[in-house]
Amino acid sequence: MNVEFINPFLSSLLNVLSTMAQTELKPGKPKIKKDEVACGDVSGLIGMVGPQTKGSFSITFDESLALTIMERMLGERPDSINEEVTDMVGEITNMVTGGAKNLLGEKGYDFDMATPIVVSGHGHTITHKSEGAKILIPFTSDAGNANIEVSFDKI
């Protein structure tokens, strides 16, 4: 997969979390993901379809990081992942994808975005509906880990 499809999601995620939740993430080394098991406790997944290709994006948070983001955004820390936390993960997924969509649009790639879905629970799975490789990028922070996955059909 072309790196010009990955970087907009990476930079959009870093921007959204630093702006909205005063949370700095440090990206790790990207790798190809072979299975569908999520690397965390709560995930947002969104599909994108355009004239040139289709793909999907997901972000998965450790519970500790999701609760910290919630606390930094709203001033309250829930005891565990609840409906408000899953709503927040859906909104973050939407904001990150919207930012990436704008950056990709500047490069001539147009997409329509679906409504994000959120899944939580230890060992939950994420199914990307594209035929391309799943690129996983891990992130670390002072409050826990996050992972993004990007998958697009070949262009």
Side-chain angles (χ1 to χ4, degrees):
M1 180 186 312
N2 193 326
V3 75
E4 73 179 14
F5 273 90
I6 306 292
N7 287 338
F9 292 95
L10 193 145
S11 58
S12 183
L13 172 65
L14 297 176
N15 179 45
V16 166
L17 288 185
S18 66
T19 305
M20 303 294 291
Q22 299 74 51
T23 300
E24 300 299 323
L25 295 180
K26 183 178 180 224
K29 185 178 180 193
K31 62 182 178 182
I32 303 287
K33 186 171 181 224
K34 300 289 187 191
D35 62 12
E36 295 185 346
V37 178
C39 303
D41 301 306
V42 58
S43 299
L45 173 67
I46 191 165
M48 295 161 286
V49 177
Q52 301 103 327
T53 188
K54 70 178 177 27
S56 54
F57 164 79
S58 71
I59 179 161
T60 303
F61 296 100
D62 287 351
E63 181 175 18
S64 60
L65 179 55
L67 299 180
T68 298
I69 292 169
M70 185 80 168
E71 181 178 24
R72 290 175 180 171
M73 286 177 75
L74 299 178
E76 290 181 20
R77 184 181 183 93
D79 294 328
S80 61
I81 295 171
N82 60 21
E83 188 176 344
E84 289 176 327
V85 175
T86 59
D87 285 350
M88 176 201 70
V89 169
E91 281 304 312
I92 289 171
T93 305
N94 221 11
M95 288 187 281
V96 170
T97 307
K101 178 184 177 197
N102 290 340
L103 293 170
L104 287 167
E106 293 170 6
K107 296 177 182 191
Y109 297 104
D110 240 354
F111 292 100
D112 289 326
M113 295 169 23
T115 302
I117 59 167
V118 178
V119 185
S120 64
H122 185 70
H124 68 274
T125 58
I126 302 169
T127 304
H128 293 275
K129 300 288 188 197
S130 68
E131 296 168 17
K134 293 179 285 208
I135 307 298
L136 177 119
I137 304 169
F139 293 84
T140 55
S141 78
D142 60 348
N145 299 324
N147 291 276
I148 63 172
E149 297 176 23
V150 181
S151 180
F152 279 96
D153 287 348
K154 290 181 174 49
I155 297 179

